[in-house]
């Protein structure tokens, strides 16, 4: 299959619509990462997503919609707190798990009775969904286990020849995937942290938000038992005595003949003189924006030594992605 990379315009959206209606899959940008979309009501099309990504079929997909009014078409009921989340946070980088109705096939939800709903705020994602006039289920558009794609090139590198079209919207803004939340009883749980933080949810909703993330950064929700975001080389996340430990590990490993690269906070770059070093950004927002792109860019080294960046508003989301990228290799 020939994979087209096209800029977003009317013609591209029309082509995308025709492909989606024909049961094909299309990659598109969102504000978080690129998604790999199919008509969520077409089981055969949805199965193509799992095949193209090599994704285990017990990991459910998020359904992307163009308008708030559409949500009730695909779910059974929406309680007061869920409605408040929709009113205050959508469109935006959040996915809300609700009870599905029979319009959503089980292949989307991995056999479950719930469906994660998301309204992207990125114009290209919305134009694509609104042109298709279909609920679009989409995981991140990477091969399973690889870092999520934040550029059309990343999608192309992973899925060239496997999908007919990638809509090229440039680099995504947030850089890590949406916050996944679920209401149970009167409590709100974060199943996957993202740009919308626990504090922001608590402040705007006035409820206690529980995070079912263990201290090691492992999330207890479907999908999370799998390896994620792994670069091709080894990676160590350094949280304690950062500067000393990175310097020590750099020296030990270069002596062994390994090619080592340091990812650090902008202000710390000058502390690693005469070493291979790049800045992830000045805070957790910038580092989240850059992380997946840099993992792909620098994975031709033997070892990435990454400083954990603990300032800014996206610390939890960033830590979750970094601790998975290094497969829990944290000191
Ligand atoms: O930002 C994002 O969310 C991106 C863009 C493309 O929208 N999508 C994305 O999809 O990250 P994916 O499939 O790579 O990750 C979806 C996550 C998985 O961890 C999955 O287990 C969880 O959401 N999820 C999906 N449906 C769920 C459900 N019904 N209950 C609990 N978790 C669910
Ligand atoms: Mg993913």
């Amino acid at each position: 299959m020939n994979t087209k990379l096209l800029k977003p315009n009317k013609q591209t959206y029309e082509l995308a619509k025709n492909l989606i209606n024909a049961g094909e899959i299309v990659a598109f940008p969102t504000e978080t990462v690129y998604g790999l979309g199919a008509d969520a009501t077409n089981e055969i099309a949805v199965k193509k997503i799992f095949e193209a990504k090599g994704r285990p079929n017990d990991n459910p997909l998020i359904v992307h919609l163009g308008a708030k009014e559409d949500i009730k078409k695909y779910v059974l009921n929406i309680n007061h707190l869920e409605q408040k989340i929709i009113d205050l946070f959508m469109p935006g980088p959040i996915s809300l798990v609700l009870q599905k109705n029979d319009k959503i096939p089980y292949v989307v939800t991995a056999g479950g009775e719930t469906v994660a709903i998301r309204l992207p705020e990125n114009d290209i994602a919305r134009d694509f969904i609104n042109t298709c006039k279909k609920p679009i289920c989409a995981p991140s558009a990477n091969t399973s286990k690889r870092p999520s794609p934040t550029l059309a090139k990343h999608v192309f590198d992973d899925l060239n020849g496997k999908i007919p079209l990638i809509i090229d919207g440039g680099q995504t803004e947030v850089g890590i995937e949406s916050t996944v939340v679920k209401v149970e009883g009167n409590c709100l749980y974060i199943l996957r942290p993202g740009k919308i933080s626990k504090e922001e949810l608590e402040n705007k909703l006035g409820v206690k938000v529980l995070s079912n993330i263990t201290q090691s950064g492992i999330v207890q929700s479907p999908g999370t038992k799998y390896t994620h975001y792994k670069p091709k080389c080894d990676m160590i996340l350094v949280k304690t005595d950062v500067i000393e430990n990175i310097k020590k590990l750099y020296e030990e490993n270069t002596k062994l003949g390994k090619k080592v690269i340091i990812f650090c906070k902008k202000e710390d770059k000058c502390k690693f003189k005469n070493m291979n070093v790049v800045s992830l950004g000045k805070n957790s927002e910038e580092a989240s924006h850059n992380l997946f792109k840099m993992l792909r860019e620098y994975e031709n080294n033997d070892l990435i030594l990454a400083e954990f960046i603990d300032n800014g508003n996206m610390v939890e989301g960033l830590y979750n992605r970094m601790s998975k990228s290094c497969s829990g290799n944290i000191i």
Side-chain angles (χ1 to χ4, degrees):
M1 184 186 290
N2 177 24
T3 302
K4 284 195 178 110
L5 253 171
L6 297 176
K7 293 283 174 210
N9 55 42
K10 237 181 159 177
Q11 244 181 332
T12 301
Y13 294 132
E14 279 304 310
L15 172 62
K17 178 177 99 177
N18 292 337
L19 287 166
I20 293 291
N21 283 336
E24 290 300 334
I25 54 182
V26 170
F28 62 101
T30 78
E31 69 275 28
T32 56
V33 300
Y34 276 73
L36 184 58
D39 172 0
T41 61
N42 180 338
E43 290 187 43
I44 296 166
V46 178
K47 283 184 186 147
K48 288 184 185 171
I49 292 179
F50 286 89
E51 267 163 45
K53 274 184 68 96
R55 180 178 175 111
N57 56 15
D58 61 350
N59 192 5
L61 303 177
I62 296 170
V63 172
H64 298 64
L65 300 173
K68 288 185 193 184
E69 306 82 74
D70 292 340
I71 300 175
K72 58 180 182 300
K73 295 183 193 162
Y74 303 102
V75 304
L76 285 181
N77 52 347
I78 298 172
N79 71 25
H80 180 70
L81 181 53
E82 290 162 344
Q83 188 59 50
K84 217 166 156 187
I85 294 166
I86 294 167
D87 292 342
L88 296 179
F89 292 97
M90 292 189 184
I94 192 163
S95 301
L96 174 62
V97 176
L98 294 163
Q99 296 299 312
K100 80 170 197 75
N101 70 15
D102 56 15
K103 291 217 178 68
I104 301 293
Y106 286 111
V107 60
V108 172
T109 64
E113 295 300 333
T114 59
V115 61
I117 299 282
R118 165 154 143 72
L119 269 72
E121 66 183 342
N122 172 288
D123 286 341
I124 302 169
R126 289 164 72 174
D127 288 347
F128 162 64
I129 297 164
N130 288 329
T131 308
C132 293
K133 296 195 175 67
K134 290 266 162 71
I136 301 289
C137 62
S140 50
N142 51 287
T143 299
S144 249
K145 303 184 180 148
R146 297 278 295 142
S148 296
T150 55
L151 285 172
K153 178 189 182 302
H154 301 156
V155 183
F156 190 82
D157 289 346
D158 279 13
L159 300 175
N160 180 23
K162 294 185 175 171
I163 61 173
L165 173 64
I166 303 166
I167 304 175
D168 184 353
Q171 189 171 358
T172 61
E173 188 193 320
V174 178
I176 63 171
E177 308 86 337
S178 62
T179 307
V180 180
V181 297
K182 186 178 184 186
V183 175
E184 278 194 39
N186 293 323
C187 293
L188 182 63
Y189 288 86
I190 294 182
L191 306 185
R192 178 179 69 183
K195 182 178 181 200
I196 296 178
S197 65
K198 183 172 187 281
E199 292 70 33
E200 192 178 348
L201 288 163
E202 285 186 339
N203 289 341
K204 292 200 178 140
L205 296 168
V207 294
K208 182 101 191 104
V209 176
L210 303 166
S211 158
N212 63 349
I213 298 162
T214 64
Q215 294 223 309
S216 58
I218 311 294
V219 187
Q220 311 297 312
S221 90
T224 55
K225 53 184 182 278
Y226 300 108
T227 309
H228 265 107
Y229 320 123
K230 239 187 91 53
K232 286 179 180 150
C233 66
D234 290 335
M235 173 170 166
I236 301 172
L237 178 60
V238 185
K239 280 181 75 187
T240 46
D241 301 326
V242 175
I243 309 299
E244 304 77 55
N245 273 328
I246 290 183
K247 281 184 177 167
K248 191 170 128 247
L249 285 165
Y250 188 94
E251 209 169 293
E252 283 170 11
N253 282 280
T254 39
K255 264 191 197 147
L256 294 172
K258 289 192 184 170
K259 249 174 82 185
V260 186
I261 179 86
I262 300 167
F263 287 1
C264 70
K265 198 192 287 183
K266 196 171 182 188
E267 67 183 45
D268 290 338
K269 203 174 163 203
C270 57
K271 296 177 186 156
F272 302 109
K273 285 214 179 73
N274 303 319
M275 300 182 195
N276 274 330
V277 56
V278 282
S279 158
L280 263 177
K282 67 174 183 295
N283 53 35
S284 56
E285 285 90 343
E286 281 191 16
S288 296
H289 175 75
N290 293 323
L291 176 69
F292 290 144
K293 178 169 177 279
M294 286 179 52
L295 288 176
R296 285 175 180 259
E297 236 167 83
Y298 292 96
E299 66 185 356
N300 61 346
N301 286 275
D302 298 309
L303 176 64
I304 296 170
L305 295 173
E307 169 178 10
F308 179 58
I309 295 176
D310 58 1
N311 63 321
N313 295 320
M314 288 176 66
V315 173
E316 203 182 352
L318 177 67
Y319 181 63
N320 173 270
R321 302 317 189 275
M322 290 185 96
S323 56
K324 288 182 175 195
S325 304
C326 70
S327 310
N329 217 346
I330 304 166
I331 59 163

